[in-house]
Amino acid sequence: MADAEDVRQLALALPHVVEIDSQGFDFRVADKGFVWSYPERRPGTPRRIRTDVAVLYVGDEAEKQALLLGEPELFFTTSAYDGLPLVMLWLERVSVDRLRELVTDAWRMRAPDSLVGGLDDGVEPSNPDLSRARPTR
């Protein structure tokens, strides 16, 4: 089963990914978020960053609904994400291999075509921007 450190390692292995300073994890490519810790909001309480739940960019409503309906044990959403192409993923319930697929797909939808093309051409994922990434806490 996966955890926040697995998210960090998988995201930083992709080209041009930067980790944004946060209480949990928050990864961007070309200044666009693709996976981050779930900022849980409950009425009357302060926002709580959940590092056991990842928010993933999925591209569109059809993909979101396919994940939510097809794998309800892994994915969920809240009304705060209505109309947004985002799903939440229980990290403890997903394998690292499946997480790799999900993180890579999220990155692929947010990265510029020039970066995606290199990954699709079989270029080994690596991150030339690791020097700009935040250190692991």
Side-chain angles (χ1 to χ4, degrees):
M1 300 294 92
D3 62 19
E5 187 56 31
D6 293 316
V7 173
R8 182 170 281 110
Q9 290 176 3
L10 294 169
L12 289 174
L14 295 164
H16 299 279
V17 170
V18 175
E19 183 173 11
I20 303 303
D21 189 28
S22 72
Q23 294 174 350
F25 54 85
D26 187 344
F27 297 96
R28 311 280 169 100
V29 61
D31 293 323
K32 296 177 184 177
F34 66 98
V35 62
W36 57 90
S37 301
Y38 173 47
E40 182 178 51
R41 292 174 180 90
R42 292 189 181 192
T45 63
R47 182 179 75 158
R48 178 178 153 214
I49 302 300
R50 300 276 307 263
T51 59
D52 61 324
V53 176
V55 179
L56 289 158
Y57 184 85
V58 294
D60 62 32
E61 187 67 23
E63 178 67 16
K64 177 179 181 173
Q65 292 305 315
L67 292 169
L68 292 170
L69 295 171
E71 297 176 89
E73 69 283 359
L74 294 181
F75 299 99
F76 70 100
T77 191
T78 68
S79 60
Y81 289 100
D82 285 351
L84 299 173
L86 304 169
V87 294
M88 280 72 80
L89 170 67
W90 294 107
L91 292 175
E92 66 186 20
R93 299 179 186 176
V94 69
S95 71
V96 174
D97 286 340
R98 177 77 165 119
L99 181 61
R100 178 180 294 109
E101 174 188 328
L102 293 164
V103 169
T104 302
D105 286 349
W107 174 89
R108 190 181 306 273
M109 287 182 265
R110 301 296 272 175
D113 290 342
S114 59
L115 293 178
V116 174
L119 194 65
D120 288 341
D121 292 339
V123 174
E124 185 66 26
S126 63
N127 192 338
D129 289 347
L130 283 177
S131 61
R132 295 188 332 197
R134 301 279 186 227
T136 301
R137 285 172 232 118

